[in-house]
Amino acid sequence: EDQVTQSPEALRLQEGESSSLNCSYTVSGLRGLFWYRQDPGKGPEFLFTLYSAGEEKEKERLKATLTKKESFLHITAPKPEDSATYLCAGHSYGQNFVFGPGTRLSVLP
Amino acid sequence: NAGVTQTPKFQVLKTGQSMTLQCAQDMNHNSMYWYRQDPGMGLRLIYYSASEGTTDKGEVPNGYNVSRLNKREFSLRLESAAPSQTSVYFCASMGVDQPQHFGDGTRLSIL
């Protein structure tokens, strides 16, 4: 059975304190690994898609990486506006998306 | 661009009442999805529609029905609401080789 887990459940950082969020997946025949950002009271907003091990993508202070079993979302010098819940999801061929429970990130000024 | 629009944004029901959640997208996407999101759990798929005229069950379909009215619209119906269906419901749409785009959700409480 396809499964996606995320750690930590919650993370508090000081502004400028870099860290990483983890997404572990057991998805047979991975078609893509997706990262989303979700603000309170809003729907998930797409950030990145990763397709193969070794791939990296960047956007502003965020960089997503992918191995055969995990994906990491690295946040460099975060700002308070980066506070949100970050979701990852695996998508396999012939199957639908499987979402992890998310990591709640708080960046304190 | 509106993207994915869900109505209503909030709703309170009594046990046993019925209601329909509406979803419309303006991106000409073929695929549409209904999820529920509960605290501590990931988004769970209720039903999806790979194209106009088709619908399929997801992970948690019991107690729900859907209608793909046309390419733009995909509705979710609760025939007899139960407290266990208290949740936040998200609709999403997706084009070929694209990520899912989500609406801002319907917050549903069932007393």
Side-chain angles (χ1 to χ4, degrees):
Chain A
E1 181 181 334
D2 293 348
Q3 189 173 13
V4 174
T5 59
Q6 292 185 247
S7 62
E9 181 176 329
L11 181 63
R12 294 177 64 146
L13 300 174
Q14 290 296 130
E15 184 172 2
E17 179 186 3
S18 302
S19 187
S20 296
L21 313 182
N22 174 265
C23 170
S24 296
Y25 65 91
T26 307
V27 174
S28 55
L30 185 73
R31 185 174 180 177
L33 190 292
F34 294 76
W35 281 97
Y36 287 85
R37 168 189 172 128
Q38 186 174 21
D39 292 302
K42 298 290 188 180
E45 178 184 347
F46 171 72
L47 291 173
F48 304 108
T49 308
L50 301 166
Y51 294 102
S52 57
E55 188 175 1
E56 298 182 353
K57 288 192 176 174
E58 289 188 65
K59 180 180 180 180
E60 296 181 354
R61 294 176 292 281
L62 302 177
K63 183 170 78 173
T65 62
L66 183 67
T67 72
K68 288 188 177 180
K69 294 185 177 182
E70 296 176 302
S71 179
F72 293 92
L73 185 65
H74 307 279
I75 304 176
T76 302
K79 297 182 178 182
E81 53 261 43
D82 295 321
S83 297
T85 296
Y86 291 85
L87 306 173
C88 72
H91 186 207
S92 60
Y93 287 96
Q95 301 295 328
N96 283 300
F97 291 79
V98 177
F99 281 83
T103 293
R104 292 191 316 276
L105 174 66
S106 299
V107 181
L108 307 176
Chain B
N1 291 335
V4 178
T5 303
Q6 293 185 236
T7 56
K9 294 187 185 303
F10 302 93
Q11 185 71 48
V12 179
L13 294 177
K14 294 182 179 179
T15 298
Q17 287 185 317
S18 62
M19 80 160 295
T20 300
L21 281 62
Q22 307 286 353
C23 175
Q25 52 95 6
D26 62 2
M27 296 171 282
N28 202 36
H29 288 165
N30 284 325
S31 302
M32 297 186 74
Y33 305 79
W34 276 106
Y35 291 91
R36 60 179 289 173
Q37 187 175 41
D38 301 293
M41 305 185 73
L43 289 158
R44 291 185 292 166
L45 183 64
I46 304 171
Y47 271 93
Y48 67 100
S49 171
S51 61
E52 185 178 356
T54 68
T55 61
D56 286 287
K57 294 179 181 180
E59 180 186 355
V60 289
N62 291 344
Y64 306 95
N65 285 299
V66 291
S67 296
R68 183 74 183 266
L69 305 170
N70 48 55
K71 192 170 186 179
R72 290 188 63 248
E73 298 172 290
F74 188 37
S75 63
L76 178 71
R77 182 163 178 82
L78 286 71
E79 291 290 352
S80 179
S84 61
Q85 295 177 305
T86 293
S87 188
V88 182
Y89 292 85
F90 288 99
C91 176
S93 70
M94 187 176 75
V96 176
D97 292 328
Q98 293 183 25
Q100 291 183 323
H101 294 261
F102 287 84
D104 282 339
T106 294
R107 282 141 190 86
L108 180 62
S109 294
I110 300 164
L111 307 176

